[in-house]
Amino acid sequence: QVQLVESGGGLVQAGGSLRLSCAASGGTFSTYAMGWFRQAPGKEREFVASISWSGGATYYAVSVKGRFTTSRDNAKNSVYLQMNSLKPEDTAVYYCAASRRFGGTSPSDADYPYWGQGTQVTVSS
């Protein structure tokens, strides 16, 4: 069973950038498809991005497409979320998630059985 730990969150001004990392342990990382989700106060958790087990396929929410990029390094058991041109509405707790139920991408949080504890991202206006 894989364990996930996110890092890299923080406070940034609008228009700035942050890079989130998610380190995996306890499983064969290269066999897991990975997803990024976020939850803002008072809102439901929403999909941000997903990347296939090989890294060859990615999928993004419309709200972040063109601004966020997800990538992975299977040799380092890590997945990343590069966030550029941040907006105040990007403020949320960001979670990484893992699944071996599929090898591609999925925007559904129900498809991911393994979750990290989350990292706070705050974008000031």
Side-chain angles (χ1 to χ4, degrees):
Q1 179 170 325
V2 67
Q3 290 84 45
L4 305 171
V5 178
E6 302 94 337
S7 61
L11 174 64
V12 64
Q13 289 188 332
S17 298
L18 280 175
R19 187 192 194 210
L20 304 184
S21 298
C22 174
S25 62
T28 306
F29 181 69
S30 60
T31 64
Y32 289 86
M34 300 297 295
W36 288 96
F37 294 80
R38 66 187 182 186
Q39 187 166 21
K43 295 187 177 181
E44 293 187 354
R45 185 165 59 192
E46 66 173 355
F47 168 75
V48 176
S50 179
I51 186 167
S52 64
W53 63 269
S54 68
T58 55
Y59 182 63
Y60 298 92
V62 171
S63 59
V64 307
K65 195 170 185 178
R67 300 188 298 123
F68 290 12
T69 302
T70 188
S71 60
R72 66 189 296 161
D73 186 339
N74 287 342
K76 294 184 178 180
N77 291 345
S78 294
V79 63
Y80 308 100
L81 185 67
Q82 178 67 44
M83 305 185 296
N84 299 329
S85 302
L86 283 161
K87 305 175 181 180
E89 51 263 44
D90 294 319
T91 295
V93 177
Y94 283 71
Y95 299 90
C96 68
S99 179
R100 294 181 67 181
R101 295 177 183 174
F102 54 94
T105 61
S106 172
S108 174
D109 58 0
D111 285 337
Y112 297 87
Y114 307 110
W115 292 80
Q117 83 290 348
T119 185
Q120 176 70 47
V121 171
T122 302
V123 184
S124 63
S125 57

